[in-house]
Amino acid sequence: MPILIIYATTAMLLLALLPLPYDFYTILRLVAFIVFFWAAYISYKNEAQILPWAFGLLVVLFNPIIPIHLSREVWIPIDLGAALFIFMNRKSLVVNQ
């Protein structure tokens, strides 16, 4: 996965902490779903034990097809935790370029 995608997703997740229009959160849900799915796949291919499951949980949380509706107070720590999680695991996700 290109490092720029990880940084962009992290930035979007951190921007989600601000009160923004609903359309931003809809786009974030789609972007995060795709990136976390990709991260789960890479982690699985790298034979990681826990990372594919953790990213899989994030895939379910950010699923745009059957969305999980939570209050803003619940989404704030989820967005922050997801941003930190993908940022902290960026080295295991970056493809050698």
Side-chain angles (χ1 to χ4, degrees):
M1 176 181 306
I3 192 75
L4 187 58
I5 290 177
I6 294 171
Y7 289 149
T9 305
T10 300
M12 286 183 74
L13 286 163
L14 292 175
L15 278 174
L17 302 177
L18 303 172
L20 297 170
Y22 187 77
D23 291 341
F24 173 81
Y25 299 104
T26 303
I27 293 167
L28 172 63
R29 188 179 286 271
L30 180 63
V31 169
F33 173 78
I34 292 167
V35 170
F36 290 139
F37 187 87
W38 192 2
Y41 175 76
I42 291 170
S43 299
Y44 176 76
K45 284 297 197 181
N46 290 340
E47 299 181 0
Q49 297 297 314
I50 297 173
L51 280 181
W53 293 100
F55 282 119
L57 175 63
L58 290 170
V59 167
V60 171
L61 275 172
F62 286 92
N63 177 6
I65 299 164
I66 305 172
I68 296 175
H69 298 285
L70 301 170
S71 69
R72 180 155 167 75
E73 292 78 24
V74 175
W75 274 113
I76 287 174
I78 291 172
D79 291 335
L80 182 59
L84 290 173
F85 187 72
I86 194 163
F87 185 77
M88 298 299 288
N89 288 292
R90 69 190 179 279
K91 291 186 180 174
S92 66
L93 299 173
V94 174
V95 176
N96 294 334
Q97 298 176 1

